[in-house]
Amino acid sequence: MNHALLNTIDSPADLRRLSRAELKQLADELRDFVLQSVSKTGGHLSSNLGTVELTIALHRVFNTPHDRLVWDVGHQTYPHKILTGRRERMATLRQLGGISGFPRRDESEYDTFGTAHSSTSISAALGMALAAQHKGEKRHAVAIIGDGAMTAGMAFEALNNAGMPHVGHVPNLLVILNDNDMSISPPVGALNKYLARLMSGKFYTAAREGAKQVLKNAPPLFELARRFEEHAKGMVVPGTIFEEFGFNYVGPIDGHDLDALIPTLENLRDKPGAQFLHVVTKKGYGYKLAEADPVKYHGPTPFDPAQGIQKPATPPKTSFTQVFGQWLCDMAEQDERLVGITPAMREGSGMVEFHKRFPARYFDVGIAEQHAVTFAAGLACEGLKPVVAIYSTFLQRAYDQLIHDVALQNLPVVFALDRAGLVGADGATHAGAYDIAYVRCIPNMAMLTPADEDECRQALFTACGRDHPVCVRYPRGSGAGTELRAQMQALPWGRGEVRRRGSRIAILAFGTLLYPALEAAEKLDATVANMRFAKPLDAALVAELARGHDALVTVEEGCLPGGAGSAVLEALAEAGLAVPVLTLGLPDRFIEHGDPAKLLAQCGLDAAGIEQAVVKRFGARPSLVRAVNH
């Protein structure tokens, strides 16, 4: 498709000069541009195809960036990025040095709030609305939130706060519910059922469609009816839950119809107080393959739009997520007490097969990490064996529940922490950089750091057999490619293993960095230990290696402050052992998006980086280290 009109849009001010007919052409070109662009770079597709018209309408009606748009999660903001001066940079999307796949305040003045986790938009937009009120500034604040994100408690906390008077006034805030009946996994819960009932109210729908048929041949009356509809609907639709929170509720309206969106937004823009607009969109809209399977096209790697996503010619290596999914099914066959819990990440966490085979023991709680953890605690209280499959970065959102509801009561909950370490294209918001540090400091908690696929399977089995809470962390993608043993056997609790014997230097590896450590050790003639446990640490092995070597090197794909390296230093101090220690891990800064291998190399965590760090610190003659330092 020719993008002639889109190529003239370098800022929202440009699209505000277009006619309504030209806006519809712009929508077609923008949707095609998104499809062609993402097919080359990879990224989020279905969600962005579904927000094209809504994005155009928002920038048409509101004076951005003076008016604030806050996008929830932000994985649906590619049209927003393209219309706000970043069209030419879309070829760098999610690549090292390129633009982010999410809104970032340091990337554009149009990105008013950095997002990537769910359900933060209403809180942030409310803060902006009240700040404008406090400063006497006339500006609008708009939160755009999906129906999946509305399942989180934080969204309702913000709604509860927004609808009440602040200094005598309800703030001027517009919340737009982008209801596409789909977050990442299929929607669940009472809220989804409520929205479905709201949209399918037969009397309201029949009255609305009947009026359209009568008035369609009388354009002035039809336009009058359109404007009247938002007021008249209250006569046929019962009050909504959002009205109970103090919002003026309007909708649902077609989120792909610019002729409905623009006048409705204009009306709401001019109304004071808290407004709530319910729009209905379709994920993948305009690209039939994505419409038919929005989950498959949620975050694809590069593909041919004409052919769609194809199976690779050679099967990829088994991922850690697949290892977890297979283990969960195998374990469920052995132990009928096992139940699986996910906060709306069935596909991402590898639980599709478990859901199919054990539907009564599968619980998707929606985007509600806090609830997921305490729900698991309740199950554990009654003798079940809950396994919470959750991304490392999302467990951060339930930290109080982890401490107060699980660890304090010493309940046997297994946490399968996917996406531990760097995650590549999703960047800092999704990196699992902190789990070792934030779990290690909690009493009763344990943390296993398996080095490869089979050890991950055995580590999960080990965790499931304990009578206290245990986390097993594993990265995104595949590892060394070790063959999975069908038989499961518990690992010796709290014990590491020496995988290579060398001299002078001992490298203590936590997790999948064992393999680059082994590669570096060949050139350094170093000893290498697979530590397996960040907590309880194998203090006896640490002491043995300290006594038999001139220096120790710890390697982890996690933050250094409070991490596994810190655990080793603490163990040495407690044992009264003075030996030089080099700690290698993620630096004390947020790591940008990019190719995972390149990012690890930048952080000095590939084989070459480990070797260079050891030589730089200890020189070519490590045997002199102890003498120099003492």
Side-chain angles (χ1 to χ4, degrees):
M1 177 183 288
N2 187 337
H3 303 135
L5 183 57
L6 177 61
N7 290 337
T8 69
I9 307 299
D10 295 318
S11 75
D14 296 325
L15 72 82
R16 293 178 196 130
R17 293 192 288 266
L18 301 180
S19 67
R20 192 71 62 84
E22 288 174 317
L23 288 178
K24 294 177 182 178
Q25 178 186 339
L26 178 65
D28 291 339
E29 292 184 15
L30 180 56
R31 178 168 282 108
D32 183 71
F33 188 93
V34 169
L35 175 59
Q36 299 303 325
S37 178
V38 175
S39 72
K40 294 180 176 66
T41 63
H44 294 99
L45 182 60
S46 297
S47 54
N48 284 287
L49 294 176
T51 57
V52 168
E53 288 83 6
L54 178 59
T55 304
I56 291 173
L58 284 167
H59 283 294
R60 169 62 172 248
V61 171
F62 291 95
N63 182 27
T64 55
H66 177 76
D67 292 332
R68 314 303 199 203
L69 301 183
V70 182
W71 299 87
D72 211 282
V73 182
H75 64 313
Q76 78 282 44
T77 54
Y78 298 179
H80 163 80
K81 287 175 181 276
I82 294 165
L83 295 175
T84 54
R86 288 167 278 183
R87 181 181 66 252
E88 298 301 326
R89 297 193 65 201
M90 285 298 290
T92 70
L93 183 74
R94 293 160 42 99
Q95 298 171 34
L96 191 61
I99 61 174
S100 171
F102 301 96
R104 287 184 52 149
R105 283 170 53 83
D106 60 0
E107 185 178 291
S108 170
E109 63 179 338
Y110 292 92
D111 292 358
T112 62
F113 196 77
T115 55
H117 286 189
S118 164
S119 316
T120 62
S121 62
I122 304 175
S123 298
L126 174 60
M128 293 174 183
L130 284 171
Q133 180 177 299
H134 178 75
K135 294 189 293 182
E137 297 174 347
K138 186 172 177 56
R139 70 169 83 244
H140 299 276
V142 183
I144 305 99
I145 183 169
D147 57 309
M150 281 296 297
T151 63
M154 184 176 177
F156 283 88
E157 292 171 16
L159 288 174
N160 181 61
N161 190 217
M164 64 178 66
H166 295 262
V167 198
H169 300 282
V170 175
N172 294 329
L173 172 69
L174 171 59
V175 174
I176 298 177
L177 173 60
N178 176 29
D179 184 356
N180 54 36
D181 200 37
M182 175 71 70
S183 49
I184 297 176
S185 297
V188 297
L191 179 64
N192 174 256
K193 293 178 181 177
Y194 168 78
L195 294 175
R197 287 198 305 273
L198 198 63
M199 288 189 293
S200 62
K202 293 181 180 179
F203 181 66
Y204 175 49
T205 302
R208 185 175 188 272
E209 293 305 315
K212 276 187 178 181
Q213 294 302 315
V214 171
L215 300 173
K216 67 180 180 180
N217 294 320
L221 291 176
F222 184 72
E223 182 61 25
L224 178 64
R226 181 191 300 283
R227 294 180 180 181
F228 180 69
E229 179 184 11
E230 66 180 72
H231 303 288
K233 75 174 188 344
M235 295 185 293
V236 292
V237 178
T240 71
I241 187 174
F242 307 109
E243 289 170 336
E244 297 300 324
F245 276 111
F247 284 77
N248 172 47
Y249 172 88
V250 174
I253 67 171
D254 185 350
H256 299 298
D257 182 357
L258 286 168
D259 289 330
L261 279 171
I262 291 175
T264 302
L265 286 172
E266 287 173 340
N267 290 342
L268 292 175
R269 178 193 59 194
D270 298 331
K271 287 181 178 293
Q275 309 295 323
F276 194 103
L277 174 61
H278 184 176
V279 304
V280 180
T281 61
K282 185 176 182 63
K283 265 198 171 182
Y285 186 77
Y287 181 48
K288 295 301 183 184
L289 294 174
E291 287 185 27
D293 194 346
V295 173
K296 183 177 182 179
Y297 286 86
H298 171 73
T301 55
F303 68 99
D304 180 354
Q307 299 293 323
I309 298 172
Q310 304 292 314
K311 288 185 178 181
T314 57
K317 290 194 297 185
T318 301
S319 70
F320 281 94
T321 300
Q322 291 170 320
V323 170
F324 165 74
Q326 182 178 329
W327 169 81
L328 191 63
C329 290
D330 292 346
M331 197 70 212
E333 286 184 341
Q334 292 188 19
D335 190 344
E336 64 182 13
R337 297 172 302 163
L338 183 140
V339 294
I341 302 166
T342 176
M345 295 299 293
R346 182 186 67 178
E347 283 77 15
S349 293
M351 298 181 72
V352 174
E353 184 65 20
F354 178 78
H355 182 200
K356 184 198 300 187
R357 292 174 56 185
F358 304 96
R361 294 155 66 181
Y362 166 83
F363 299 96
D364 183 344
V365 301
I367 302 177
E369 293 87 358
Q370 293 172 298
H371 166 60
V373 172
T374 304
F375 172 57
L379 291 166
C381 283
E382 299 302 319
L384 298 187
K385 297 287 291 185
V387 177
V388 180
I390 189 168
Y391 290 8
S392 169
T393 187
F394 295 148
L395 185 57
Q396 296 163 189
R397 294 161 63 91
Y399 195 56
D400 179 65
Q401 288 69 27
L402 187 65
I403 296 173
H404 182 273
D405 299 337
V406 175
L408 187 62
Q409 303 184 92
N410 202 26
L411 294 171
V413 178
V414 175
F415 295 91
L417 300 191
D418 203 334
R419 271 64 165 180
L422 298 180
V423 292
D426 282 337
T429 56
H430 282 60
Y434 313 109
D435 52 67
I436 295 178
Y438 73 62
V439 166
R440 200 174 66 80
C441 65
I442 305 175
N444 294 331
M445 294 291 302
M447 167 74 80
L448 282 80
T449 60
D452 54 42
E453 295 86 345
D454 183 66
E455 191 165 85
C456 183
R457 178 176 169 85
Q458 310 308 326
L460 288 163
F461 178 77
T462 304
C464 203
R466 305 297 295 183
D467 60 357
H468 56 86
V470 183
C471 293
V472 179
R473 77 185 307 257
Y474 48 89
R476 182 176 190 172
S478 57
T482 56
E483 184 177 351
L484 298 178
R485 291 173 290 166
Q487 182 179 3
M488 294 182 282
Q489 185 174 3
L491 300 172
W493 187 251
R495 299 296 299 275
E497 60 171 358
V498 175
R499 292 285 290 266
R500 185 188 190 278
R501 289 288 181 182
S503 61
R504 302 175 295 180
I505 299 289
I507 303 176
L508 285 62
F510 294 84
T512 55
L513 293 186
L514 170 69
Y515 288 91
L518 285 168
E519 187 178 339
E522 289 297 322
K523 297 183 178 180
L524 296 167
D525 189 28
T527 295
V528 178
N530 174 22
M531 296 304 295
R532 283 181 171 165
F533 291 80
K535 183 183 182 182
L537 182 73
D538 191 344
L541 179 57
V542 171
E544 174 193 326
L545 295 173
R547 293 188 179 101
H549 296 80
D550 295 331
L552 302 183
V553 178
T554 65
V555 183
E556 61 190 299
E557 193 173 342
C559 66
L560 285 172
S566 295
V568 170
L569 292 169
E570 293 162 11
L572 291 170
E574 186 173 347
L577 293 171
V579 57
V581 180
L582 170 63
T583 58
L584 301 178
L586 299 180
D588 190 20
R589 59 180 171 82
F590 294 112
I591 308 300
E592 298 300 328
H593 51 272
D595 177 78
K598 292 180 180 178
L599 294 176
L600 282 174
Q602 281 191 350
C603 295
L605 295 177
D606 60 349
I610 295 170
E611 178 192 357
Q612 290 168 11
V614 172
V615 171
K616 180 179 179 181
R617 170 70 181 275
F618 301 125
R621 300 175 64 190
S623 59
L624 296 179
V625 167
R626 193 181 295 272
V628 169
N629 284 273
H630 300 283

